[in-house]
Amino acid sequence: MTPVRVVVLDHTAQTGGAELALLRTVAALDPSRVDLTVLLFAEGPLVGRLRAVGARVEVLALDPRVAATGRHAVGRLGSLRAAPFVFRLARALRRLRPDVVHCTSLKADLIGLVAARLVRRRVVWHLHDRIAADYLPRPVVALVRWLARHAVTEVVVNSRATASTVLPLPRWTLAYPGLAPEQVGPDPIHRPTPTPPVVGIVGRISPTKGQREFLAAAALLADRFPDLRFRVIGDALFAEADYAEQVRAQAAGLADRVEFTGWVADPVAELDRLTVMVHASPTPEPFGQVVVEAMARGVPVVATAGGGVDEIVLPRDAEPRGALVRPGDVAGLAAAVEALLRDPETTAARARQAWFGVRRDYPITATAEALTAVWCRLAPGPGRPASAAPGRPSSGPRPVTRVSAAR
């Protein structure tokens, strides 16, 4: 069978969560089935990392003024300022002649949809964001939902929680961001206990990630566990520098018991140093990649409920894989961490069960297979598999589920 030609569009070359998921997926694709080009709208570290795994990468620079548009102004990407880039992108797509254009960020969704339609190509949107008013302005929510339902060939989502913010759709596919083999640690039954105990939070320092809530809980725990240490793993982007300063000022009250690691390229080593990993986002996460990554290393997890995190921590066919607390509930966060620290045997048993579960449910090979199936089904021409029959979401914990629902 002739490989399906796919062009993946992303507005950034920074290594955010969606971009790292793309990197892992590209490395897992079968080149005999997929002829892939990644077209990025900026230079950055993702370019070299993609090429290192054998990907064909092109960069088509977007006007920095458009690239810097925040999500609250993303609805203006159809302005005259973006128009020249849309036509340049359309010319690039005409030259590359893809069967399918796969857009994997919100800016790429909106810009890529117009450019792909200009050259009459089928468009897949891969949504890594909840399309909801607690994340985007209401006019943008309405626009993206309408386009997803009426203008896009198919939508891929990173969780059922993300899907719920855009349903109903003519057709959608669930493809969880998968784990690469190197992200999965050995059986946690052999995992050494960090001494002294360390509780950490992993992710970009941002109001949406909850470092201030984490430190408030740390202040409550510090008196109860005199030897307990805390780690803030990650750094802020430039636009979040003020918040980062507030976080560091708050940590001053805990003297030398809090460590800031700064940006880390690979969080695996940092996760291995933790006794408990805390996910403290005050708003629902579309998925919660760091929660899966911690469980894959055998690290016990306390997380705030909502969004895709619920699907990870409370799987449909198994016991809870961690503790959930209400967003913003500092006392509840501290109490959940305390419960794990005071009952190490039960905590270790649950962490091992979670390790088995995420290895089963989130392999990157399943992610790559789900996307390949979408692309092959949409690509025109002989030698391609027929479209799948309509169905419903599986009730089981399958890592990737294709869904085709009548509108």
Side-chain angles (χ1 to χ4, degrees), residues 262-339:
W263 181 83
V264 293
D266 186 351
V268 165
E270 295 295 339
L271 287 169
D272 287 345
R273 297 176 62 183
L274 299 182
T275 309
V276 176
M277 198 283 292
V278 170
H279 165 278
S281 296
T283 56
E285 290 274 9
F287 178 58
Q289 182 67 36
V290 70
V291 175
V292 173
E293 290 172 351
M295 291 176 177
R297 304 305 298 183
V299 182
V301 172
V302 173
T304 50
V309 171
D310 293 0
E311 298 169 41
I312 301 166
V313 178
L314 301 176
R316 296 184 177 189
D317 70 335
E319 293 297 315
R321 293 174 179 161
L324 284 179
V325 300
R326 295 190 307 275
D329 182 1
V330 170
L333 198 63
V337 172
E338 179 176 5

Side-chain angles (χ1 to χ4, degrees), residues 147-186:
L147 291 172
R149 293 164 184 169
H150 301 286
V152 177
T153 313
E154 182 153 347
V155 174
V156 175
V157 294
N158 63 352
S159 69
R160 287 185 173 87
T162 295
S164 71
T165 67
V166 288
L167 290 176
L169 293 170
R171 183 183 293 277
W172 59 280
T173 293
L174 171 62
Y176 288 125
L179 291 164
E182 61 271 18
Q183 292 179 285
V184 181

Side-chain angles (χ1 to χ4, degrees), residues 17-42:
E19 287 68 41
L20 291 174
L22 171 64
L23 178 65
R24 297 192 300 272
T25 303
V26 168
L29 291 172
D30 181 352
S32 70
R33 300 175 65 195
V34 180
D35 180 2
L36 187 84
T37 300
V38 181
L39 199 160
L40 303 173
F41 299 173

Side-chain angles (χ1 to χ4, degrees), residues 221 224-225 276 300 302 323 331-348 350:
L221 290 164
R224 306 172 197 174
F225 299 91
V276 176
V302 173
L333 198 63
V337 172
E338 179 176 5
L340 296 184
L341 294 174
R342 294 200 185 279
D343 189 358
E345 290 187 4
T346 300
T347 298
R350 176 173 287 182

